[in-house]
């Protein structure tokens, strides 16, 4: 789905740590919003997502028990430069 703009996977129990780690770089360039709240993704998944969807403006991973605010420190400089909203709680 290369033209996907919004993806809501909130509460999907099958989205676990490592689920997003193999996303190819720049494979989701049209994606603007992704909602992952309540999933079991990890910090590594956020880094992979940033590479795959560099034009994200809204990223919500609230209530993800394996992602902490410091998970964002692993993002490359200049990653997610379009990001205007982030949900952490």
């Amino acid at each position: 789905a290369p033209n996907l703009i919004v993806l809501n996977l909130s509460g999907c129990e099958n989205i676990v740590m490592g689920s997003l780690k193999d996303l190819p770089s720049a494979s989701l360039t049209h994606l603007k919003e992704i909602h992952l709240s309540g999933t079991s993704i990890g910090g590594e998944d956020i880094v992979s997502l940033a590479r795959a969807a560099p034009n994200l403006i809204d990223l919500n991973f609230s209530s993800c028990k394996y992602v902490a605010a410091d998970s964002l420190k692993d993002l490359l400089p200049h990653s997610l430069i379009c990001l205007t909203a982030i949900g952490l709680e």
Side-chain angles (χ1 to χ4, degrees):
N3 295 320
L4 189 66
I5 296 171
V6 176
L7 180 60
N8 186 348
L9 298 171
S10 296
C12 291
E13 295 175 3
N14 292 332
I15 307 297
V16 296
M17 200 178 316
S19 293
L20 306 177
K21 70 177 178 133
D22 293 326
L23 286 172
S25 289
S27 59
L28 298 169
T29 55
H30 290 91
L31 191 65
K32 301 293 182 194
E33 293 181 33
I34 189 162
H35 304 276
L36 297 162
S37 61
T39 63
S40 295
I41 62 166
E44 181 179 289
D45 295 298
I46 299 297
V47 172
S48 295
L49 183 60
R51 288 186 192 121
N55 298 314
L56 279 176
I57 58 170
D58 188 347
L59 172 60
N60 184 341
F61 51 90
S62 59
S63 301
C64 291
K65 59 185 172 186
Y66 301 113
V67 178
D70 68 345
S71 296
L72 299 177
K73 70 178 171 35
D74 294 328
L75 293 175
L76 296 172
H78 312 296
S79 291
L80 301 177
I81 59 172
C82 299
L83 196 64
T84 60
I86 190 163
L88 295 171
E89 294 182 28

